[in-house]
Amino acid sequence: MVGIILASHGEFANGIFQSGAMIFGEQANVKPCTLMPSEGPEDIRKKMEDAIASFENQEEVLFLVDLWGGTPFNQASALLDGHEDKWAIVTGLNLPMLIETYASRFSMEKAHEIAAHVMQTAQEGVQINPKELEPKEEKKAEVSAAPQGAIPEGTVLGDGHIKYGLARIDTRLLHGQVATAWTKTVGPNRIIVVSDNVAHDNLRKSMIEQAAPPGVKANVVPIDKMIQVAKDPRFGATKAMLLFETPQDALRAIKGGVDIKELNLGSMAHSQGKVVCTKAVSMGSDDVKTFDELLAMGIKIDVRKVPTDSPENFDEILKKAKTELK
Protein backbone atom coordinates (compact mmCIF):
# COMPACT_ATOMS: atom_id res chain seq x y z
CA MET A 1 0.00 0.00 0.00
CA VAL A 2 1.27 3.49 -0.90
CA GLY A 3 2.42 5.46 2.14
CA ILE A 4 0.99 8.98 2.42
CA ILE A 5 2.56 12.01 4.09
CA LEU A 6 0.37 15.06 4.74
CA ALA A 7 2.67 18.08 5.11
CA SER A 8 1.71 21.63 6.01
CA HIS A 9 2.51 24.91 7.66
CA GLY A 10 0.95 24.83 11.13
CA GLU A 11 -1.71 22.35 12.26
CA PHE A 12 -3.46 22.05 8.89
CA ALA A 13 -2.04 18.56 8.24
CA ASN A 14 -3.30 17.30 11.61
CA GLY A 15 -6.70 18.85 11.01
CA ILE A 16 -7.24 17.40 7.56
CA PHE A 17 -5.94 14.03 8.78
CA GLN A 18 -8.69 14.07 11.43
CA SER A 19 -11.30 15.18 8.87
CA GLY A 20 -10.28 12.34 6.56
CA ALA A 21 -10.71 9.83 9.38
CA MET A 22 -14.20 11.18 10.14
CA ILE A 23 -15.28 10.68 6.52
CA PHE A 24 -13.32 7.64 5.34
CA GLY A 25 -12.31 5.95 8.58
CA GLU A 26 -8.91 5.40 10.17
CA GLN A 27 -6.14 4.77 7.65
CA ALA A 28 -2.87 2.90 7.98
CA ASN A 29 0.40 4.22 6.54
CA VAL A 30 -0.67 7.86 6.65
CA LYS A 31 1.26 10.43 8.69
CA PRO A 32 0.63 14.17 9.14
CA CYS A 33 3.82 16.25 9.36
CA THR A 34 3.57 19.86 10.53
CA LEU A 35 5.96 22.81 10.41
CA MET A 36 5.21 24.88 13.49
CA PRO A 37 6.13 28.59 13.92
CA SER A 38 9.04 27.78 16.25
CA GLU A 39 10.49 25.12 13.91
CA GLY A 40 12.81 25.17 10.92
CA PRO A 41 13.25 23.16 7.71
CA GLU A 42 15.29 20.45 9.42
CA ASP A 43 12.44 19.79 11.89
CA ILE A 44 9.79 18.96 9.31
CA ARG A 45 12.31 17.01 7.26
CA LYS A 46 13.04 14.82 10.30
CA LYS A 47 9.29 14.29 10.80
CA MET A 48 8.95 13.20 7.19
CA GLU A 49 11.92 10.84 7.42
CA ASP A 50 10.46 9.27 10.58
CA ALA A 51 7.08 8.92 8.88
CA ILE A 52 8.58 7.16 5.87
CA ALA A 53 10.53 4.83 8.16
CA SER A 54 7.23 3.78 9.79
CA PHE A 55 5.53 2.79 6.52
CA GLU A 56 5.12 -0.87 5.63
CA ASN A 57 6.11 -0.11 2.03
CA GLN A 58 8.82 2.55 1.78
CA GLU A 59 9.19 2.03 -1.96
CA GLU A 60 5.96 3.87 -2.79
CA VAL A 61 5.45 7.22 -1.04
CA LEU A 62 3.06 10.06 -1.90
CA PHE A 63 3.48 13.54 -0.36
CA LEU A 64 0.31 15.65 -0.21
CA VAL A 65 1.53 19.17 0.60
CA ASP A 66 -0.28 22.41 1.30
CA LEU A 67 1.70 24.91 -0.76
CA TRP A 68 4.01 24.79 -3.77
CA GLY A 69 7.27 26.55 -2.91
CA GLY A 70 6.79 26.48 0.88
CA THR A 71 9.21 24.88 3.32
CA PRO A 72 7.23 21.59 3.58
CA PHE A 73 7.29 21.34 -0.22
CA ASN A 74 10.99 22.20 -0.41
CA GLN A 75 11.91 19.55 2.15
CA ALA A 76 9.70 16.96 0.46
CA SER A 77 11.46 17.81 -2.83
CA ALA A 78 14.82 17.21 -1.17
CA LEU A 79 13.66 13.78 0.01
CA LEU A 80 12.26 13.06 -3.44
CA ASP A 81 15.74 13.39 -4.96
CA GLY A 82 16.85 9.92 -6.01
CA HIS A 83 13.32 8.48 -5.65
CA GLU A 84 11.63 10.22 -8.61
CA ASP A 85 10.84 6.87 -10.23
CA LYS A 86 8.62 5.78 -7.31
CA TRP A 87 7.69 8.75 -5.10
CA ALA A 88 5.58 11.81 -5.98
CA ILE A 89 4.46 15.18 -4.57
CA VAL A 90 1.07 16.82 -5.09
CA THR A 91 0.47 20.33 -3.75
CA GLY A 92 -2.74 22.20 -3.01
CA LEU A 93 -3.90 19.65 -0.45
CA ASN A 94 -7.65 19.73 0.14
CA LEU A 95 -10.19 17.30 1.56
CA PRO A 96 -11.55 16.01 -1.79
CA MET A 97 -7.96 15.23 -2.79
CA LEU A 98 -7.33 13.32 0.43
CA ILE A 99 -10.54 11.29 0.26
CA GLU A 100 -9.86 10.36 -3.38
CA THR A 101 -6.29 9.39 -2.46
CA TYR A 102 -7.56 7.06 0.27
CA ALA A 103 -10.06 5.47 -2.13
CA SER A 104 -7.46 5.13 -4.88
CA ARG A 105 -5.14 3.06 -2.71
CA PHE A 106 -7.59 0.14 -2.94
CA SER A 107 -7.08 -0.17 -6.71
CA MET A 108 -3.79 1.61 -7.40
CA GLU A 109 -0.45 0.42 -6.08
CA LYS A 110 1.83 3.15 -7.45
CA ALA A 111 2.33 6.65 -5.99
CA HIS A 112 2.73 8.08 -9.50
CA GLU A 113 -0.57 6.57 -10.60
CA ILE A 114 -2.45 8.00 -7.61
CA ALA A 115 -0.80 11.42 -7.96
CA ALA A 116 -1.88 11.75 -11.58
CA HIS A 117 -5.40 10.55 -10.76
CA VAL A 118 -6.21 12.82 -7.81
CA MET A 119 -5.30 16.10 -9.55
CA GLN A 120 -8.66 16.40 -11.29
CA THR A 121 -10.62 15.53 -8.15
CA ALA A 122 -8.77 18.21 -6.19
CA GLN A 123 -9.53 20.81 -8.84
CA GLU A 124 -13.19 19.81 -9.08
CA GLY A 125 -13.43 20.13 -5.31
CA VAL A 126 -13.12 23.91 -5.62
CA GLN A 127 -16.67 25.17 -6.28
CA ILE A 128 -18.54 28.47 -5.96
CA ASN A 129 -22.14 29.03 -4.90
CA PRO A 130 -23.96 30.80 -6.54
CA LYS A 131 -22.65 29.33 -9.80
CA GLU A 132 -22.97 32.70 -11.57
CA LEU A 133 -19.83 33.83 -9.73
CA GLU A 134 -17.66 31.28 -11.51
CA PRO A 135 -15.28 33.00 -13.92
CA LYS A 136 -16.05 32.42 -17.57
CA GLU A 137 -13.39 30.60 -19.52
CA GLU A 138 -11.50 32.83 -21.90
CA LYS A 139 -9.95 31.69 -25.13
CA LYS A 140 -6.24 31.39 -24.74
CA ALA A 141 -4.29 33.53 -27.16
CA GLU A 142 -2.34 31.52 -29.68
CA VAL A 143 1.33 31.40 -28.85
CA SER A 144 3.78 31.82 -31.69
CA ALA A 145 5.76 28.68 -32.37
CA ALA A 146 8.70 30.74 -33.57
CA PRO A 147 11.79 30.21 -31.42
CA GLN A 148 12.63 33.03 -29.05
CA GLY A 149 16.36 33.62 -29.33
CA ALA A 150 18.65 35.32 -26.84
CA ILE A 151 18.44 39.11 -26.72
CA PRO A 152 21.48 40.51 -28.56
CA GLU A 153 24.15 42.06 -26.36
CA GLY A 154 23.85 45.84 -26.24
CA THR A 155 20.05 45.83 -26.57
CA VAL A 156 18.37 48.31 -24.21
CA LEU A 157 15.02 47.24 -22.74
CA GLY A 158 12.91 49.75 -20.83
CA ASP A 159 15.16 52.37 -19.32
CA GLY A 160 18.07 49.94 -19.30
CA HIS A 161 18.11 49.52 -15.51
CA ILE A 162 16.86 46.46 -13.64
CA LYS A 163 14.26 47.28 -10.95
CA TYR A 164 14.50 45.82 -7.43
CA GLY A 165 11.10 45.32 -5.85
CA LEU A 166 12.68 43.70 -2.79
CA ALA A 167 16.14 42.67 -1.64
CA ARG A 168 15.95 40.24 1.27
CA ILE A 169 18.37 38.43 3.58
CA ASP A 170 16.91 35.06 4.50
CA THR A 171 18.78 31.89 5.43
CA ARG A 172 15.93 29.83 3.98
CA LEU A 173 15.91 31.84 0.73
CA LEU A 174 12.79 30.91 -1.30
CA HIS A 175 10.09 29.43 0.96
CA GLY A 176 6.39 29.89 1.69
CA GLN A 177 6.50 33.43 3.11
CA VAL A 178 8.54 34.62 0.15
CA ALA A 179 6.74 32.63 -2.56
CA THR A 180 3.30 33.84 -1.43
CA ALA A 181 3.15 36.93 0.80
CA TRP A 182 6.17 38.84 -0.51
CA THR A 183 5.65 37.87 -4.15
CA LYS A 184 2.03 39.05 -4.08
CA THR A 185 3.03 42.33 -2.39
CA VAL A 186 6.06 43.12 -4.55
CA GLY A 187 4.85 41.70 -7.89
CA PRO A 188 8.20 40.67 -9.38
CA ASN A 189 8.51 38.90 -12.72
CA ARG A 190 11.76 37.29 -11.63
CA ILE A 191 13.14 35.99 -8.32
CA ILE A 192 16.93 35.90 -8.22
CA VAL A 193 18.79 33.98 -5.51
CA VAL A 194 22.25 35.54 -5.29
CA SER A 195 24.64 33.05 -3.73
CA ASP A 196 27.92 31.44 -4.73
CA ASN A 197 27.17 28.47 -2.46
CA VAL A 198 23.74 27.71 -3.90
CA ALA A 199 24.80 28.38 -7.50
CA HIS A 200 27.31 25.54 -7.18
CA ASP A 201 24.91 23.16 -5.41
CA ASN A 202 22.85 21.51 -8.16
CA LEU A 203 20.26 20.04 -5.77
CA ARG A 204 19.55 23.30 -3.93
CA LYS A 205 19.56 25.22 -7.20
CA SER A 206 17.03 22.82 -8.74
CA MET A 207 14.77 22.98 -5.66
CA ILE A 208 14.70 26.78 -5.76
CA GLU A 209 13.93 26.91 -9.47
CA GLN A 210 11.06 24.43 -8.94
CA ALA A 211 9.68 26.42 -6.00
CA ALA A 212 8.95 29.56 -8.02
CA PRO A 213 5.31 30.67 -7.71
CA PRO A 214 3.12 30.66 -10.85
CA GLY A 215 3.99 33.38 -13.35
CA VAL A 216 7.37 34.15 -11.81
CA LYS A 217 10.70 32.77 -12.99
CA ALA A 218 13.35 31.86 -10.40
CA ASN A 219 17.07 31.94 -11.08
CA VAL A 220 20.14 31.19 -8.97
CA VAL A 221 23.28 33.15 -9.84
CA PRO A 222 26.72 33.69 -8.30
CA ILE A 223 27.37 37.14 -6.85
CA ASP A 224 29.69 38.21 -9.67
CA LYS A 225 27.04 37.25 -12.23
CA MET A 226 24.47 39.41 -10.40
CA ILE A 227 26.89 42.33 -10.54
CA GLN A 228 27.10 41.85 -14.33
CA VAL A 229 23.29 41.61 -14.63
CA ALA A 230 22.89 44.86 -12.70
CA LYS A 231 24.90 46.66 -15.39
CA ASP A 232 23.28 44.93 -18.38
CA PRO A 233 20.65 47.10 -20.19
CA ARG A 234 18.91 43.95 -21.47
CA PHE A 235 17.37 43.59 -17.98
CA GLY A 236 15.72 47.02 -18.06
CA ALA A 237 12.25 45.44 -18.27
CA THR A 238 12.88 43.16 -15.28
CA LYS A 239 11.36 43.71 -11.85
CA ALA A 240 13.37 41.47 -9.56
CA MET A 241 13.19 40.16 -6.04
CA LEU A 242 16.71 39.46 -4.80
CA LEU A 243 17.30 36.85 -2.10
CA PHE A 244 20.60 36.69 -0.20
CA GLU A 245 21.54 33.92 2.20
CA THR A 246 23.84 36.15 4.28
CA PRO A 247 24.48 39.87 4.82
CA GLN A 248 28.02 39.28 3.58
CA ASP A 249 26.69 38.24 0.17
CA ALA A 250 24.46 41.33 0.06
CA LEU A 251 27.35 43.63 0.98
CA ARG A 252 29.57 42.18 -1.72
CA ALA A 253 26.83 42.62 -4.33
CA ILE A 254 26.19 46.23 -3.31
CA LYS A 255 29.90 47.05 -3.35
CA GLY A 256 30.03 45.56 -6.86
CA GLY A 257 27.38 47.94 -8.14
CA VAL A 258 24.01 46.30 -7.43
CA ASP A 259 21.94 49.39 -6.67
CA ILE A 260 20.12 48.41 -3.49
CA LYS A 261 19.02 51.12 -1.06
CA GLU A 262 17.14 48.91 1.44
CA LEU A 263 17.49 45.34 2.68
CA ASN A 264 14.64 43.38 4.18
CA LEU A 265 15.93 41.13 6.98
CA GLY A 266 13.75 38.02 7.20
CA SER A 267 15.79 35.38 9.02
CA MET A 268 19.34 34.45 9.95
CA ALA A 269 19.72 30.96 11.34
CA HIS A 270 21.50 30.26 14.61
CA SER A 271 24.80 28.39 14.54
CA GLN A 272 27.87 28.02 16.73
CA GLY A 273 29.39 31.39 17.60
CA LYS A 274 26.17 33.32 17.03
CA VAL A 275 23.81 34.86 19.56
CA VAL A 276 20.02 34.86 19.37
CA CYS A 277 18.76 38.41 18.78
CA THR A 278 15.10 37.68 17.93
CA LYS A 279 13.05 34.56 17.23
CA ALA A 280 14.18 34.73 13.60
CA VAL A 281 17.57 36.45 13.71
CA SER A 282 20.90 35.30 15.14
CA MET A 283 24.20 37.08 14.58
CA GLY A 284 27.91 36.47 14.95
CA SER A 285 30.76 38.98 15.11
CA ASP A 286 31.20 39.00 11.32
CA ASP A 287 27.48 39.68 10.85
CA VAL A 288 27.67 42.67 13.20
CA LYS A 289 30.67 44.04 11.33
CA THR A 290 28.88 43.56 8.00
CA PHE A 291 25.72 45.33 9.14
CA ASP A 292 27.78 48.22 10.53
CA GLU A 293 29.35 48.59 7.09
CA LEU A 294 25.98 48.43 5.35
CA LEU A 295 24.56 51.10 7.64
CA ALA A 296 27.62 53.30 7.07
CA MET A 297 26.89 53.07 3.33
CA GLY A 298 23.38 54.39 3.95
CA ILE A 299 21.58 51.07 3.44
CA LYS A 300 18.30 50.88 5.37
CA ILE A 301 17.53 47.59 7.16
CA ASP A 302 13.85 46.62 7.38
CA VAL A 303 13.24 43.72 9.78
CA ARG A 304 10.03 41.89 8.84
CA LYS A 305 9.25 38.23 8.15
CA VAL A 306 6.12 39.05 6.12
CA PRO A 307 4.78 42.32 4.64
CA THR A 308 2.00 42.67 7.22
CA ASP A 309 4.40 42.56 10.20
CA SER A 310 5.28 45.80 11.93
CA PRO A 311 8.98 46.57 11.33
CA GLU A 312 11.23 45.69 14.27
CA ASN A 313 13.82 48.11 15.62
CA PHE A 314 17.04 47.06 13.89
CA ASP A 315 19.19 49.39 16.00
CA GLU A 316 18.05 47.56 19.13
CA ILE A 317 18.65 44.16 17.51
CA LEU A 318 22.18 45.14 16.50
CA LYS A 319 22.86 46.62 19.93
CA LYS A 320 21.74 43.38 21.58
CA ALA A 321 24.07 41.37 19.33
CA LYS A 322 27.04 43.59 20.17
CA THR A 323 26.34 43.38 23.90
CA GLU A 324 26.01 39.59 23.98
CA LEU A 325 29.02 39.01 21.73
CA LYS A 326 31.40 40.93 24.03
Side-chain angles (χ1 to χ4, degrees):
M1 180 175 281
V2 174
I4 300 171
I5 288 178
L6 312 176
S8 74
H9 296 79
E11 293 283 3
F12 174 57
N14 285 331
I16 201 168
F17 175 69
Q18 183 184 62
S19 298
M22 289 175 65
I23 295 170
F24 208 84
E26 298 291 337
Q27 295 293 304
N29 297 298
V30 180
K31 295 288 184 183
C33 298
T34 60
L35 174 69
M36 303 308 292
S38 61
E39 296 177 329
E42 64 285 350
D43 295 302
I44 191 164
R45 178 167 178 151
K46 178 65 164 56
K47 293 176 184 178
M48 291 178 183
E49 289 172 338
D50 291 345
I52 293 168
S54 74
F55 292 157
E56 294 172 5
N57 178 10
Q58 297 170 25
E59 292 294 313
E60 296 287 340
V61 178
L62 177 61
F63 298 84
L64 302 182
V65 185
D66 60 352
L67 183 68
W68 181 279
T71 297
F73 168 80
N74 292 341
Q75 293 307 307
S77 295
L79 293 174
L80 186 72
D81 185 53
H83 298 277
E84 294 91 345
D85 58 333
K86 294 287 186 72
W87 298 4
I89 303 172
V90 181
T91 62
L93 173 59
N94 61 20
L95 194 52
M97 178 196 293
L98 181 59
I99 298 305
E100 187 64 26
T101 300
Y102 285 168
S104 299
R105 291 201 300 177
F106 290 113
S107 58
M108 300 179 186
E109 298 180 352
K110 304 293 184 183
H112 283 193
E113 189 179 9
I114 296 174
H117 173 71
V118 300
M119 282 289 293
Q120 185 173 354
T121 301
Q123 292 167 357
E124 291 173 349
V126 180
Q127 301 284 336
I128 299 176
N129 192 6
K131 292 288 185 182
E132 292 76 22
L133 297 177
E134 291 185 4
K136 292 180 171 57
E137 288 189 14
E138 296 181 6
K139 274 192 173 181
K140 291 185 179 178
E142 290 187 11
V143 180
S144 171
Q148 302 296 315
I151 300 171
E153 191 172 345
T155 303
V156 178
L157 295 183
D159 63 2
H161 299 286
I162 189 171
K163 313 300 182 298
Y164 303 111
L166 180 77
R168 177 177 170 95
I169 298 169
D170 191 329
T171 304
R172 294 192 289 160
L173 294 171
L174 182 53
H175 54 93
Q177 292 171 347
V178 176
T180 54
W182 281 110
T183 299
K184 290 182 184 301
T185 300
V186 174
N189 52 29
R190 192 177 294 268
I191 296 172
I192 306 176
V193 170
V194 186
S195 167
D196 290 349
N197 289 335
V198 181
H200 296 104
D201 185 328
N202 289 333
L203 176 57
R204 292 183 71 193
K205 182 177 179 179
S206 174
M207 286 171 57
I208 286 169
E209 291 171 347
Q210 291 175 19
V216 182
K217 188 172 179 61
N219 299 103
V220 179
V221 300
I223 299 169
D224 286 343
K225 178 65 175 177
M226 185 64 229
I227 293 170
Q228 294 174 18
V229 167
K231 300 171 183 177
D232 191 329
R234 290 176 292 181
F235 290 88
T238 299
K239 184 178 182 181
M241 178 191 295
L242 302 188
L243 300 177
F244 297 96
E245 198 170 17
T246 68
Q248 290 79 11
D249 286 353
L251 176 62
R252 185 176 146 201
I254 293 169
K255 281 185 170 181
V258 179
D259 189 20
I260 296 170
K261 306 297 185 188
E262 179 174 319
L263 283 167
N264 166 245
L265 178 55
S267 75
M268 290 174 60
H270 185 266
S271 60
Q272 188 172 2
K274 297 195 176 191
V275 295
V276 176
C277 305
T278 71
K279 288 182 178 179
V281 176
S282 296
M283 291 189 202
S285 298
D286 191 41
D287 300 319
V288 168
K289 179 182 175 183
T290 301
F291 278 120
D292 275 339
E293 193 167 349
L294 286 165
L295 292 171
M297 295 170 68
I299 306 300
K300 181 182 175 184
I301 310 296
D302 169 46
V303 186
R304 284 184 295 165
K305 288 190 292 184
V306 294
T308 53
D309 284 349
S310 297
E312 297 184 52
N313 189 322
F314 181 69
D315 290 338
E316 289 299 319
I317 293 171
L318 192 58
K319 181 180 177 181
K320 180 179 180 181
K322 290 178 177 178
T323 300
E324 296 195 12
L325 285 166
K326 282 182 180 179

